[in-house]
Amino acid sequence: MDLHIFIQQLVNGLVLGSVYGLIAIGYTMVYGIIGMINFAHGDVYMVSAYLSAIAIALLSIFGIASAPFIIFVVLIFTIIITSCYGWTIERVAYRPLRGSTRLAPLISAIGMSLFLQNYVQLSQGASTQGVPNLIKGNLRIGEGNDFVQITYAQGFIVISAIFGMLILNFIIQKTSMGRQCRATQQDRTMAGLLGINTDRIISTVFVLGSAMAALAGVLVTLNYGTFDFYIGFITGVKAFTAAVLGGIGSLPGAILGGIVLGMSESLFSGFINTDYKDVFAFCLLVLILIFRPSGILGKPEVEKV
Amino acid sequence: MDNNAILNVAHLNIKFGGIIALKDINFHVPRASITALIGPNGAGKTTVFNCLTGFYKGGPGSKLTLSSKNKSNNLVEMLGEGFKLQDFINPPAFVKRIYFKMFGGTHLVCRAGLARTFQNNRLFEEMSVVENLLVAQHMSLEKSLLKGVFQTKDYLESQERALDKAHDWLKFFKLDKRANDIAGELPYGEQKRLEIARAMCTSPELLCLDEPAAGLNPAESAELSELIIRLRDEHRISVLIIEHDMHLVMKIADHIVVLNYGEVLFDGTPAEVRNSSKVIDAYLGKE
Amino acid sequence: MNTSNIHSHKVSLRLAITDALVAGLIALVLFGPIVGLVLDGYELRNNMGVAFIFVAIITTGRFFASLFFQSPIGVRFLEKFARGRKVRVTVAQASTNKFKKLLLPAIFLAALSYPVIAHVAPDLLGVFGGKYGITIMILALIYVLLGLGLNIVVGLAGLLDLGYVAFYAIGAYWLTIGYAELGLGFWSVLIISPIFAAGCGAILGFPVLRMHGDYLAIVTLGFGEIIRLVLNNWTSLTRGPNGMSAPDVTFFNMLSFNKRGADNLQPFHEFFGLEYSSSFQFIYIYWLLLIVVFLVLYINHRLVQMPVGRAWEALREDEIACRSLGLNHVLVKLSAFMIGASVGGVAGVFFASYQGFVNPSSFTFLESALIVAIVVLGGLGSALGVTIAAIVLTLLPELLREFSDYRVLMFGILMIVMMIWRPRGLVKPVRPAFESDKEQVKQKA
């Protein structure tokens, strides 16, 4: 085993993992608050990838060439509009079903996911899209053929992901809104009795989760440059795996799970087999759910009789 | 250990997170008697029930023995405990452990002869009353797919037997006119009785009732206590009952266990409990 | 937003305008970029006209909806709607309706005679005439089969299986691999397929059926993808994306449907003295499939009244109560999973032999979602509803060719609307009544 390849895969895994972590936050927050998987979350991420490409193209029409300015505007634009998508999803596919059977919101969320995929496919075309490379250059450590390469784009992803998580953590831990979110997560009925507008809090959680997915979408678009309307599905399931791995309902768990999953997937495809890397992630999901459903940081669920 | 007892509870303990819900509970339920489990709110009564009926796993050292169906059943082992060191040098124990890990669970407790009802009714609300009772007889019905599809004679006979049994219990609980009604549409009192009837259809020897009289009016409550007494006298069923209605408890119980803060506070006959200063303090607070 | 005004029965125009403007603004934000600005390489194409049309539709729609729901009629409508969502289950009355008893054989005969009419007089049936029509009908029947199979898992047992397509794929590949590696023919494969698929269902299901609803859904989704990815990547066995060919369907292993016959079998048309037509093979598959569908319908009808079927439905309603009554919830779920899987496997065998060829792209998540949509539209549990839904959802896209691009979009919307409007489907659930020798009950029934 070559050390430099190993380190290179770890770096790639860290980058991939921070993206998974960002998306996993959306799953974990929604699950924490309403106890359901938001099946449309992967597609929110997919929509945000399109939005960021559209924003980049839009700015180039106005002849703006400064990369930091473009990235800043693209981030704001994408996060705002994606958050609107998150809000609408909750409003259309979840809120009317509150108090319904357990299966109903699951099915409507899958319907929403199908709708979003097809909607983007119909309006933007089925072909793979791309954006120009905005963050050029890289850092090489090592000599000759044995080197580890970190592109600036990768560095940017990790730093922005950390930054995004810090902001989210601040919102959840320090603001009044965050306190209401945490209260609603612990006991929705009681929070409602204490005058918290739980419907609004649930909407907020969808919006925050979508904003994180939007951040992930922008970062992935900037780094890899290509995407299509189908990316939300596989990435969504993997991000969910990350959320479960870290312990669903736990924010630090989502990030940790994302990084662990990203690194192990990266090592798997680097040293064992690239074709089966998705199979590896799915198998990991199944194994965690069988043997440790509470994940790394999650609390075990006590069944209510 | 009392050999005449149907259920022996020894050193039952359980923790949720860091909170000790039950610590070292010991009591027994004599055969063909009515035992009441009482205590202030939060004393751990329902937790005891959930441990007995296999919904929670008792902590290390817990020993629950149910002497029914002519054998002694270890209720903790059935739920599929974690492996112990000595299992690895004892192949039969190891195999048994794996078997219970794969196929064990709450359902085995019921099959061993312990049935329960729930504090909040858990009926199959969208099914008819008879169907509720048929589901409870699942184990004794002919389940072969082929026999069912071709409606063979033994399939039809087993279904007929199950229907007869269901109707016997419906009659016992005065629900026979409701047989083909939807369970969720019955009035509350009848739903409560239906839940006991459904539990009886599993042919238990020990019946655990979790607050059966809660929400009933005095007439219904009196009717219910009469039915419970008839269960004991006519069918030789042992009953363990959680109840807040002290009139009912004092009237029907042969034996009362008082819980407080996850511990057994007192254990005795109704008369002894009534005169116990410890119990009075727990309920009314010390002066 | 309008709920606060339900009781005052006063129509406020201002409220309606605010509602409409808010909805319009949100629609503009949502549709503006995605619909209005289309990516074209690194450039954008302006499509804002369409986006504005969408926004206008939503704004005016919201305006009138807001007015309507404030009016007394609208309020009554909302109340009725809320009542409609609550299911009222009824117990069947012993029916002596002769019409109903004759209906089923009549449908069977009509379905049986369809391919003959389609073959002899194709013009009579329009799109559904001729060989093409028959293949469409075969596809519809395959979806009926898939719908019925998944209905057992989702509708009756209440387990959301998002990877049902895995068993469909297993059935199809079982045919092609059995043919290529073991030399098995259509008939031997068909007979073994339910057992084989049920076995696969048991292996996949046993470890995961302890999980509750949402986790199970995502794990089964994972299984569906694992199977597809393995089929795609295990090229030495499955030839990967290139696909595999299926064996010819023979007339009970005795006659061949090829023009010149094959494998020492006499050609079918020569034996019966008919003029050769490539439709014969499809008519034959259609009939076989029809018989299988009716068989599954019959078994399904029996199952729901058998202890197993009752246990599934009880489990769907309350798992904890089931466990307290001595039902092994894992095994009960497993039985539903296995029976569902075996039906899916049979459907897969028919799919492969009707197409003559399979490759992994037929078994994507979209296919699973389509089958779920069929079950949802059919009403989660009603075999009749599922059958009708399967036929409608496969035939409708054929009739509305221009809209075929919007198929998935429609399924998505349909799933959401159904869940909001009628979560238990359009067919009212009915419980069987039980008679007994006991007097009172007899009177009741």
Side-chain angles (χ1 to χ4, degrees):
Chain A
M1 194 195 278
D2 295 330
L3 187 65
H4 68 99
I5 300 182
F6 182 77
I7 295 174
Q8 181 72 61
Q9 291 301 344
L10 276 189
V11 170
N12 295 348
L14 180 68
V15 173
L16 195 61
S18 13
V19 171
Y20 289 157
L22 282 175
I23 306 171
I25 285 175
Y27 281 110
T28 231
M29 285 176 75
V30 168
Y31 194 92
I33 210 148
I34 54 173
M36 282 165 203
I37 299 170
N38 179 5
F39 267 96
H41 192 61
D43 299 293
V44 170
Y45 155 78
M46 176 272 294
V47 167
S48 77
Y50 273 87
L51 285 171
S52 60
I54 288 170
I56 291 171
L58 207 58
L59 287 173
S60 78
I61 291 177
F62 294 123
I64 296 161
S66 148
F69 182 73
I70 292 179
I71 292 168
F72 180 72
V73 174
V74 167
L75 267 176
I76 303 284
F77 174 87
T78 311
I79 287 178
I80 290 176
I81 297 181
T82 313
S83 301
C84 277
Y85 271 93
W87 183 85
T88 314
I89 288 171
E90 196 273 333
R91 199 74 182 71
V92 173
Y94 282 91
R95 193 174 297 185
L97 293 173
R98 217 148 284 160
S100 190
T101 54
R102 218 182 141 73
L103 219 52
L106 261 176
I107 291 170
S108 78
I110 292 163
M112 185 47 101
S113 160
L114 289 181
F115 172 83
L116 281 177
Q117 271 179 32
N118 206 240
Y119 154 73
V120 171
Q121 183 194 358
L122 287 174
S123 43
Q124 295 282 341
S127 53
T128 303
Q129 304 283 358
V131 295
N133 189 358
L134 284 175
I135 309 171
K136 296 187 183 75
N138 59 50
L139 193 71
R140 276 191 189 187
I141 302 160
E143 285 168 17
N145 286 326
D146 300 347
F147 61 84
V148 174
Q149 175 177 303
I150 305 167
T151 65
Y152 291 142
Q154 286 180 323
F156 180 69
I157 287 190
V158 175
I159 292 167
S160 328
I162 293 172
F163 201 63
M165 289 164 192
L166 285 178
I167 292 177
L168 182 73
N169 196 45
F170 176 78
I171 295 175
I172 297 289
Q173 297 298 337
K174 302 285 173 190
T175 64
S176 150
M177 176 72 80
R179 200 158 43 237
Q180 293 179 27
C181 283
R182 281 179 287 140
T184 312
Q185 168 161 6
Q186 289 207 352
D187 190 335
R188 177 140 47 107
T189 323
M190 194 59 213
L193 288 175
L194 292 175
I196 295 175
N197 183 346
T198 50
D199 275 349
R200 216 183 70 214
I201 295 300
I202 293 171
S203 288
T204 313
V205 163
F206 272 81
V207 165
L208 287 176
S210 304
M212 289 293 135
L215 180 58
V218 174
L219 296 177
V220 168
T221 314
L222 289 177
N223 187 33
Y224 299 102
T226 58
F227 53 88
D228 58 36
F229 71 95
Y230 204 62
I231 54 165
F233 176 66
I234 288 277
T235 317
V237 175
K238 285 189 189 164
F240 179 76
T241 308
V244 173
L245 183 61
I248 200 142
S250 146
L251 283 185
I255 299 152
L256 185 68
I259 290 170
V260 171
L261 178 70
M263 284 186 173
S264 45
E265 186 186 319
S266 210
L267 291 176
F268 181 87
S269 60
F271 289 102
I272 301 171
N273 191 322
T274 324
D275 291 340
Y276 284 102
K277 71 175 201 293
D278 293 343
V279 176
F280 167 75
F282 286 126
C283 288
L284 198 65
L285 171 67
V286 175
L287 291 178
I288 305 161
L289 282 177
I290 293 173
F291 292 107
R292 201 179 157 77
S294 54
I296 304 173
L297 298 180
K299 282 183 235 114
E301 271 180 53
V302 177
E303 198 171 27
K304 286 193 184 109
V305 180
Chain B
M1 193 159 145
D2 189 340
N3 285 329
N4 192 32
I6 186 163
L7 175 74
N8 259 298
V9 178
H11 313 299
L12 176 62
N13 64 84
I14 192 167
K15 261 192 233 169
F16 295 119
I19 302 155
I20 300 171
L22 299 177
K23 46 190 171 197
D24 199 27
I25 301 272
N26 297 288
F27 68 91
H28 66 268
V29 178
R31 200 173 289 277
S33 74
I34 297 173
T35 303
L37 199 57
I38 64 168
N41 283 324
K45 302 183 297 286
T46 298
T47 311
V48 169
F49 251 46
N50 286 337
C51 289
L52 292 183
T53 49
F55 284 96
Y56 294 163
K57 268 183 219 173
S62 304
K63 206 159 156 44
L64 306 171
T65 322
L66 181 72
S67 316
S68 60
K69 314 236 155 146
N70 298 324
K71 63 176 197 214
S72 159
N73 301 285
N74 180 347
L75 296 186
V76 181
E77 183 189 60
M78 283 177 180
L79 304 180
E81 295 170 287
F83 292 104
K84 285 189 187 129
L85 206 59
Q86 56 263 41
D87 290 343
F88 295 97
I89 44 170
N90 184 356
F94 187 71
V95 170
K96 206 169 163 193
R97 195 81 71 193
I98 286 188
Y99 174 82
F100 282 127
K101 262 219 173 296
M102 285 176 79
F103 299 104
T106 316
H107 54 279
L108 290 184
V109 175
C110 173
R111 292 183 196 174
L114 190 161
R116 74 168 291 178
T117 65
F118 295 89
Q119 205 167 343
N120 311 311
N121 291 353
R122 282 188 174 274
L123 290 171
F124 306 120
E125 294 189 357
E126 288 185 8
M127 294 178 133
S128 73
V129 169
V130 188
E131 281 182 297
N132 266 278
L133 301 190
L134 289 180
V135 171
Q137 297 181 58
H138 191 74
M139 290 318 295
S140 58
L141 279 163
E142 177 59 61
K143 286 190 293 294
S144 152
L145 283 185
L146 287 178
K147 283 183 181 171
V149 170
F150 295 112
Q151 305 243 307
T152 58
K153 211 172 141 209
D154 33 341
Y155 168 78
L156 291 174
E157 273 171 7
S158 95
Q159 174 162 317
E160 199 57 38
R161 265 199 311 278
L163 279 174
D164 283 349
K165 186 172 177 184
H167 287 300
D168 287 343
W169 282 116
L170 283 180
K171 211 176 252 170
F172 184 90
F173 286 98
K174 303 188 174 66
L175 289 164
D176 39 352
K177 294 220 165 53
R178 293 292 199 169
N180 276 327
D181 288 359
I182 296 297
E185 291 170 3
L186 297 186
Y188 186 75
E190 293 190 346
Q191 290 196 6
K192 281 258 165 194
R193 290 212 299 276
L194 176 58
E195 220 191 352
I196 305 175
R198 190 180 65 179
M200 288 312 300
C201 275
T202 63
S203 317
E205 293 185 17
L206 174 62
L207 179 65
C208 294
L209 302 173
D210 197 348
E211 302 201 13
L216 299 186
N217 64 34
E220 285 173 322
S221 180
E223 194 183 359
L224 183 76
S225 52
E226 189 197 320
L227 286 172
I228 295 174
I229 291 172
R230 277 182 60 199
L231 276 179
R232 176 193 63 188
D233 297 343
E234 291 173 21
H235 296 271
R236 283 192 56 77
I237 301 289
S238 322
V239 180
L240 179 65
I241 179 171
I242 294 181
E243 189 47 70
H244 277 300
D245 181 348
M246 283 306 139
H247 289 292
L248 187 142
V249 169
M250 294 299 168
K251 197 169 97 192
I252 68 172
D254 303 313
H255 170 197
I256 295 179
V257 178
V258 188
L259 287 188
N260 196 20
Y261 294 115
E263 281 178 299
V264 177
L265 187 72
F266 193 82
D267 191 339
T269 63
E272 286 166 0
V273 168
R274 211 176 287 146
N275 298 323
S276 157
S277 58
K278 268 204 283 186
V279 177
I280 293 167
D281 284 346
Y283 267 86
L284 302 176
K286 266 184 196 141
E287 300 267 316
Chain C
M1 281 162 228
N2 45 42
T3 43
S4 55
N5 274 36
I6 272 184
H7 299 291
S8 63
H9 283 230
K10 220 185 273 167
V11 180
S12 151
L13 199 63
R14 234 180 84 191
L15 184 75
I17 292 173
T18 341
D19 278 355
L21 286 180
V22 169
L25 189 69
I26 291 167
L28 185 66
V29 172
L30 295 185
F31 295 132
I34 295 280
V35 179
L37 302 166
V38 179
L39 283 170
D40 189 3
Y42 293 163
E43 313 272 300
L44 283 177
R45 209 174 59 236
N46 189 348
N47 198 17
M48 269 305 188
V50 182
F52 282 130
I53 293 172
F54 282 1
V55 172
I57 292 172
I58 286 189
T59 314
T60 44
R62 186 75 185 92
F63 178 72
F64 287 113
S66 180
L67 278 187
F68 175 68
F69 289 129
Q70 289 179 48
S71 71
I73 312 168
V75 173
R76 236 173 293 142
F77 175 81
L78 274 181
E79 281 167 4
K80 213 177 146 193
F81 179 83
R83 249 181 288 132
R85 286 197 58 196
K86 285 206 189 86
V87 251
R88 252 191 73 89
V89 192
T90 46
V91 176
Q93 301 296 320
S95 131
T96 46
N97 194 338
K98 264 196 185 153
F99 174 70
K100 257 186 183 167
K101 280 186 180 158
L102 284 175
L103 195 61
L104 201 67
I107 291 175
F108 184 70
L109 285 181
L112 211 57
S113 55
Y114 158 75
V116 180
I117 301 170
H119 182 62
V120 179
D123 300 332
L124 214 64
L125 295 167
V127 200
F128 301 115
K131 182 175 145 189
Y132 179 72
I134 297 172
T135 56
I136 296 292
M137 283 300 181
I138 290 177
L139 204 60
L141 286 181
I142 288 175
Y143 279 106
V144 170
L145 217 48
L146 287 169
L148 288 174
L150 189 63
N151 183 44
I152 291 175
V153 185
V154 180
L156 295 180
L159 310 165
L160 187 54
D161 181 354
L162 294 179
Y164 189 64
V165 82
F167 303 115
Y168 188 36
I170 283 170
Y173 269 90
W174 164 234
L175 177 67
T176 58
I177 293 172
Y179 172 59
E181 304 285 326
L182 307 170
L184 296 174
F186 172 76
W187 277 99
S188 28
V189 165
L190 182 65
I191 289 162
I192 309 170
S193 65
I195 301 160
F196 182 73
C200 293
I203 295 167
L204 292 183
F206 187 74
V208 303
L209 285 170
R210 257 165 239 273
M211 296 169 194
H212 64 75
D214 300 41
Y215 281 178
L216 185 73
I218 207 143
V219 165
T220 49
L221 184 149
F223 280 152
E225 281 300 294
I226 289 175
I227 298 278
R228 189 180 65 83
L229 290 167
V230 168
L231 290 176
N232 217 355
N233 290 320
W234 194 351
T235 41
S236 60
L237 184 71
T238 67
R239 299 191 206 134
N242 296 329
M244 300 180 83
S245 58
D248 289 332
V249 179
T250 58
F251 186 74
F252 299 112
N253 265 349
M254 290 183 291
L255 299 170
S256 161
F257 286 103
N258 287 357
K259 194 162 188 180
R260 294 175 209 296
D263 303 328
N264 305 323
L265 299 177
Q266 203 184 353
F268 173 81
H269 60 103
E270 275 180 19
F271 184 83
F272 285 100
L274 297 164
E275 199 179 325
Y276 173 76
S277 161
S278 56
S279 302
F280 288 151
Q281 185 183 352
F282 292 108
I283 295 177
Y284 178 68
I285 294 179
Y286 174 90
W287 275 339
L288 278 182
L289 198 51
L290 191 69
I291 292 165
V292 171
V293 165
F294 271 83
L295 198 69
V296 171
L297 274 171
Y298 175 75
I299 293 174
N300 189 80
H301 171 69
R302 279 269 162 268
L303 274 175
V304 291
Q305 294 178 18
M306 275 159 56
V308 193
R310 213 159 31 226
W312 293 338
E313 293 193 73
L315 208 61
R316 179 190 65 198
E317 291 205 17
D318 197 330
E319 184 176 316
I320 286 177
C322 276
R323 280 159 59 192
S324 84
L325 295 172
L327 271 71
N328 184 341
H329 62 295
V330 179
L331 292 187
V332 171
K333 285 180 188 172
L334 194 64
S335 64
F337 210 68
M338 284 168 69
I339 291 175
S342 64
V343 176
V346 173
V349 172
F350 275 106
F351 175 70
S353 49
Y354 132 89
Q355 255 201 342
F357 162 86
V358 280
N359 77 353
S361 68
S362 309
F363 307 108
T364 56
F365 170 65
L366 207 61
E367 201 73 15
S368 281
L370 168 62
I371 309 168
V372 172
I374 289 174
V375 176
V376 168
L377 188 68
L380 291 167
S382 153
L384 175 73
V386 168
T387 310
I388 295 170
I391 293 174
V392 168
L393 286 190
T394 21
L395 298 191
L396 214 57
E398 290 302 321
L399 290 175
L400 308 167
R401 270 303 176 77
E402 317 76 276
F403 296 106
S404 63
D405 284 349
Y406 298 89
R407 211 169 65 124
V408 182
L409 197 77
M410 285 300 147
F411 287 157
I413 296 175
L414 205 67
M415 282 161 90
I416 301 173
V417 170
M418 278 299 288
M419 282 300 112
I420 296 174
W421 181 45
R422 284 285 149 87
R424 290 291 302 274
L426 302 172
V427 185
K428 226 178 173 183
V430 177
R431 309 294 326 169
F434 284 92
E435 294 179 43
S436 166
D437 299 337
K438 308 278 144 124
E439 234 170 286
Q440 289 93 335
V441 191
K442 219 171 201 176
Q443 278 171 359
K444 186 85 191 167

